[in-house]
Amino acid sequence: MLHHSVFLKFKSETSSEEQAYFIAESRKLAQIPGVMNLQVLEEFNATNPYTHGLGMDFEDQAAYDVYSNHPIHNRFVQEFWLPRVEKWQEIDFREI
């Protein structure tokens, strides 16, 4: 089992409406074959520099590779992530 997490901070000029749209679009990642347990997260600890996060699980590396190269994922990155996200931290874990 693989767990993929990405924590992010929106660009300062990203309006609350744009953030809501981003979040709605991020939920569509669950449509990609192999994505399990999609979580869309909002930070509640003000000391953390990241305000939101996405987490999901994959059965194996092959499922993760399908996700990484899927048109829904690529569209999300190009049309929603890059224009609105200032910084992020990606963390991928393999269950041992």
Side-chain angles (χ1 to χ4, degrees):
M1 182 71 64
L2 304 178
H3 183 76
H4 173 65
S5 299
V6 184
F7 304 99
L8 65 107
K9 178 182 177 183
F10 288 109
K11 294 177 180 177
S12 60
E13 65 269 17
T14 305
S15 69
S16 57
E17 292 81 13
E18 286 183 289
Q19 290 181 26
Y21 186 46
F22 175 98
I23 290 165
E25 289 295 318
S26 72
R27 294 184 192 285
K28 293 179 181 179
L29 296 171
Q31 298 171 6
I32 300 172
V35 172
M36 301 183 299
N37 308 318
L38 175 68
Q39 297 175 314
V40 181
L41 308 165
E42 182 176 49
E43 178 61 69
F44 64 89
N45 182 341
T47 63
N48 189 330
Y50 302 103
T51 59
H52 293 80
L54 301 173
M56 60 195 77
D57 297 321
F58 299 93
E59 177 93 18
D60 54 25
Q61 185 67 48
Y64 179 80
D65 293 343
V66 167
Y67 163 80
S68 294
N69 297 301
H70 197 279
I72 292 173
H73 175 256
N74 293 335
R75 176 182 167 267
F76 178 74
V77 169
Q78 293 301 314
E79 294 182 20
F80 299 98
W81 188 277
L82 294 176
R84 293 174 179 86
V85 174
E86 177 180 318
K87 67 179 183 174
W88 68 89
Q89 174 69 52
E90 184 173 2
I91 302 172
D92 296 316
F93 287 101
R94 182 182 321 275
E95 190 173 316
I96 58 172

